[in-house]
Amino acid sequence: MKLYEMTASELSGQLKEKKISARELTEAVFARIDETESDIGAYITLNRETALKQADAVDQKRAAGEPLSPLAGIPVGIKDNICTKGMLTTCASRMLENFVPPYNATVMDKLAADDIVITGKLNMDEFAMGSSTETSYFKQTKNPADLTRVPGGSSGGSAAAVAAGEAVLALGSDTGGSIRQPSSFCGVVGLKPTYGSVSRYGLVAFASSLDQIGPIGKSVRDVAMLYSAICGPDKMDATSVRKIYPDFTRSLGKGISGLKLGLPKEYFGLGIDSETKNAVLAAAKLFEQNGAVVKEVSLPSTDYALSAYYIIASAEASSNLARFDGVKYGYRTPQYENLTEMYEKTRSEGFGTEVKRRILLGTFVLSSGYYDAYYKRAKLLQKRIAAEFASAFADCDLLLTPTTPGTAFKLGENTDDPLKMYAGDICTVTVNIAGLPALSIPCGTDSKGLPVGMQLIGAKFSEEQLLNAADWYESAAGLRAE
Amino acid sequence: MEMEIDIKRLAKLARLKIDESRMAGFEKDMKGIVAMVEHLPEISDSGALIDPSAPMELREDVSESKYRRDELLKNAPQTQAGCVVVPRVVE
């Protein structure tokens, strides 16, 4: 097996036993990037020189016998909306084409303390608005499972890089499914953590009440490793929850005997592709045959979730993106007569079509005369959706659903139809609305050979249970070499 | 009934300039999206929308100097004498 094909936990063991060096591993990942990046297009910025220096520093520390984190020397790719000090952070937008943050996001400081190697910055939908990575200003990322198809989005670069071996692990961000949907399309594992468990400081804001940074990896254990490294309270994020977090790799391997698994019937209805549905139901059967109790539950407000999501997310985006005005950082139009014209031309030239669409929608739902009918109602619905989940979790430990209605679609297939693109988020947005943790894990392939993903949803801060059940499934379904 | 959406007004509020040639496209998209999101149920207002299980904790309001001025200004499109430059705003 090639080094770039191995999981972070396998590589971590080999590094620790000095069977390989961090430099060898980093060189192997960059050799893989040289081989496949022209097809995949996962990266906006490569960090080769610094990465090799970081790897050498890890090797020196190890040689000196210093205690090291399990992630030390592991090459990790970073979504390009997470601020990296001294390294371009573009959000895949012309607006931030030349933006070099003077500070690190909290997650980057944490990963630096763990001596990870940063491979580079990964492509995404512009400002994380999209479900296919096609709204990136810079390039098109392709799905490693089928180069004629999208990798999903908005963390499409992150999922594609991990699937193609161009990074061992990656960070993404998830506002309405942006970690889980591309993980599902590319056949990797992605975790959207409980809102408030990972600091958002230094994550360029899209919808602050929904955004959450999370890990993408080849296995559940890898995702547990990276999540353990990035979670925790942070005084720089007022929504960060003060609590003590365990090492999540220790919560794996506990079995699923007595696990109560709910299947919300609304997630298996109209619009869900039959092959996807069957793959997820087969997974439910496997849980049942091995001692889990599987039962149908209902989340009646699911039908309204997409509407509530697009109202809340766009309202927050229109407000968050007001900061891009060409004054203190980012793009500024070259020709203008006065301040208003400078703002308008800067924003019109700096933002792409999808971003403008969301800003206009957000402006509309917050505007005088419409606020009560749209934004306020959506916020009340948010509360109801959260309450429905809470009552489902009184009966069940975890919920199981498809991650997406179907598998990866063709490049360009949905770009002219925003409504069709938005409809694909139906299974994932509810989780963000309710602030819950959820994980996407591969559960087979469809007749075209494309990866199908299933989503496990837990109550707030139930990541230990969530990761343990997913890890059990990965092993029971024969998804990993034991 | 289909709702009228004044794209020009929204664009002005959002400080965006939409080309005349693209106005119809945006209007069509927005009408479709608004039609999708407008069927929300009437819910009686009950209490605050803040989650009591996750109270926010604010930092103490003290100033700290973590960054140098020249570091922060490196990203500014136009600077002069340690300040950002904008078009004249007073007559």
Side-chain angles (χ1 to χ4, degrees):
Chain A
M1 195 183 246
K2 301 245 171 62
L3 290 181
Y4 67 78
E5 292 171 322
M6 294 167 70
T7 63
S9 62
E10 290 165 336
L11 291 165
S12 176
Q14 296 216 0
L15 285 164
K16 195 175 170 192
E17 290 163 24
K18 297 184 185 165
K19 285 185 181 156
I20 55 166
S21 68
R23 174 169 267 268
E24 264 176 274
L25 172 57
T26 304
E27 281 176 348
V29 169
F30 276 101
R32 176 65 178 168
I33 291 172
D34 290 337
E35 192 184 340
T36 53
E37 178 62 3
S38 59
D39 285 335
I40 307 291
Y43 284 91
I44 291 176
T45 305
L46 283 171
N47 189 42
R48 191 185 306 251
E49 272 177 40
T50 313
L52 288 168
K53 280 185 200 149
Q54 288 168 333
D56 287 342
V58 174
D59 288 335
Q60 279 162 18
K61 282 188 187 178
R62 204 179 300 275
E66 284 184 40
L68 288 169
S69 130
L71 284 173
I74 301 289
V76 183
I78 309 297
K79 188 176 181 179
D80 212 17
N81 59 350
I82 297 172
C83 285
T84 42
K85 187 174 179 175
M87 198 191 311
L88 279 174
T89 298
T90 69
C91 284
S93 180
R94 184 185 190 192
M95 187 63 91
L96 291 176
E97 190 170 7
N98 299 310
F99 177 62
V100 179
Y103 71 103
N104 258 342
T106 297
V107 292
M108 295 315 300
D109 278 340
K110 281 175 171 272
L111 292 183
D114 276 353
D115 296 299
I116 65 139
V117 170
I118 303 170
T119 52
K121 301 301 290 288
L122 294 158
N123 199 22
M124 54 185 279
D125 281 296
E126 185 180 5
F127 283 102
M129 296 175 190
S131 312
S132 64
T133 312
E134 291 170 296
T135 72
S136 168
Y137 172 68
F138 300 106
K139 54 160 61 168
Q140 174 64 66
T141 301
K142 301 187 183 79
N143 192 321
D146 177 346
L147 297 175
T148 66
R149 292 177 186 272
V150 302
S154 66
S155 313
S158 302
V162 171
E166 293 190 11
V168 176
L169 288 166
L171 284 185
S173 69
D174 191 316
T175 304
S178 284
I179 287 174
R180 292 159 286 156
Q181 185 255 24
S183 296
S184 170
F185 278 12
C186 293
V188 293
V189 183
L191 171 71
K192 182 261 163 200
T194 303
Y195 184 78
S197 68
V198 179
S199 169
R200 290 181 297 105
Y201 180 68
L203 170 67
V204 179
F206 161 13
S208 311
S209 78
L210 309 170
D211 296 341
Q212 194 64 180
I213 296 171
I216 296 177
K218 291 191 195 84
S219 73
V220 176
R221 181 169 289 275
D222 281 14
V223 160
M225 267 171 89
L226 188 51
Y227 177 56
S228 301
I230 59 172
C231 67
D234 178 17
K235 70 177 171 63
M236 299 305 286
D237 175 0
T239 59
S240 154
V241 176
R242 273 55 170 169
K243 74 187 278 294
I244 296 164
Y245 297 81
D247 172 353
F248 289 91
T249 57
R250 288 173 197 270
S251 53
L252 310 181
K254 302 218 162 111
I256 53 140
S257 171
L259 178 81
K260 285 181 278 177
L261 192 62
L263 301 181
K265 62 178 184 192
E266 291 81 3
Y267 289 71
F268 293 86
L270 221 59
I272 306 295
D273 174 71
S274 62
E275 289 189 85
T276 296
K277 193 196 298 188
N278 292 338
V280 179
L281 291 175
K285 194 93 198 149
L286 190 63
F287 273 100
E288 196 168 33
Q289 286 163 349
N290 286 277
V293 180
V294 177
K295 59 160 120 181
E296 188 179 278
V297 296
S298 176
L299 297 164
S301 296
T302 304
D303 280 353
Y304 301 114
L306 207 57
S307 301
Y309 170 76
Y310 275 95
I311 291 170
I312 295 168
S314 300
E316 291 186 23
S318 74
S319 168
N320 272 327
L321 271 59
R323 74 192 63 176
F324 299 103
D325 57 5
V327 175
K328 296 189 289 298
Y329 51 86
Y331 175 79
R332 181 190 286 194
T333 185
Q335 304 253 319
Y336 47 88
E337 296 289 322
N338 55 51
L339 191 67
T340 305
E341 195 189 2
M342 187 188 89
Y343 289 154
E344 288 180 349
K345 286 183 72 180
T346 292
R347 290 166 60 77
S348 302
E349 294 161 13
F351 291 138
T353 302
E354 183 59 26
V355 173
K356 287 178 194 158
R357 225 181 248 141
R358 307 260 185 133
I359 292 175
L360 289 174
L361 178 64
T363 307
F364 173 74
V365 299
L366 291 175
S367 63
S368 163
Y370 297 106
Y371 175 89
D372 281 352
Y374 292 97
Y375 186 70
K376 196 172 165 199
R377 246 191 234 189
K379 289 299 284 182
L380 289 168
L381 195 70
Q382 175 173 28
K383 211 171 145 184
R384 181 185 281 184
I385 289 170
E388 286 175 7
F389 270 113
S391 94
F393 287 124
D395 254 358
C396 304
D397 299 312
L398 299 172
L399 302 175
L400 176 66
T401 77
T403 307
T404 56
T407 50
F409 46 87
K410 291 266 186 191
L411 294 161
E413 191 178 326
N414 290 347
T415 39
D416 294 333
D417 188 351
L419 287 180
K420 206 171 159 203
M421 191 72 94
Y422 298 172
D425 301 339
I426 182 67
C427 303
T428 47
V429 294
T430 48
V431 163
N432 301 76
I433 289 177
L436 306 173
L439 175 141
S440 179
I441 177 174
C443 65
T445 48
D446 70 2
S447 51
K448 297 186 212 78
L450 298 169
V452 178
M454 68 181 197
Q455 173 175 241
L456 281 163
I457 308 172
K460 278 189 184 179
F461 298 108
S462 67
E463 275 88 347
E464 287 186 274
Q465 203 171 24
L466 193 63
L467 290 161
N468 175 56
D471 177 66
W472 174 85
Y473 175 77
E474 193 177 68
S475 167
L479 295 173
R480 64 172 181 236
E482 298 275 353
Chain B
M1 198 187 78
E2 196 174 67
M3 181 180 290
E4 282 305 309
I5 294 171
D6 188 346
I7 298 289
K8 249 186 196 154
R9 179 172 163 272
L10 290 177
K12 193 173 161 48
L13 286 170
R15 293 286 182 271
L16 289 171
K17 218 183 179 82
I18 308 282
D19 279 348
E20 281 300 330
S21 64
R22 309 198 55 199
M23 205 61 99
F26 269 104
E27 199 175 319
K28 179 177 159 277
D29 288 350
M30 284 292 294
K31 277 184 177 163
I33 297 167
V34 170
M36 174 188 98
V37 302
E38 74 183 348
H39 300 292
L40 287 183
E42 196 70 64
I43 300 174
S44 61
D45 193 351
S46 54
L49 292 163
I50 293 166
D51 180 359
S53 69
M56 289 196 208
E57 282 181 47
L58 300 178
R59 293 195 297 282
E60 222 182 308
D61 190 11
V62 288
S63 71
E64 18 179 307
S65 45
K66 277 164 82 175
Y67 305 105
R68 292 201 325 265
R69 175 186 286 251
D70 61 316
E71 275 178 342
L72 295 175
L73 286 176
K74 262 188 202 157
N75 281 296
Q78 202 185 343
T79 61
Q80 198 181 318
C83 298
V84 293
V85 177
V86 293
R88 186 182 176 129
V89 287
V90 285
E91 291 305 316

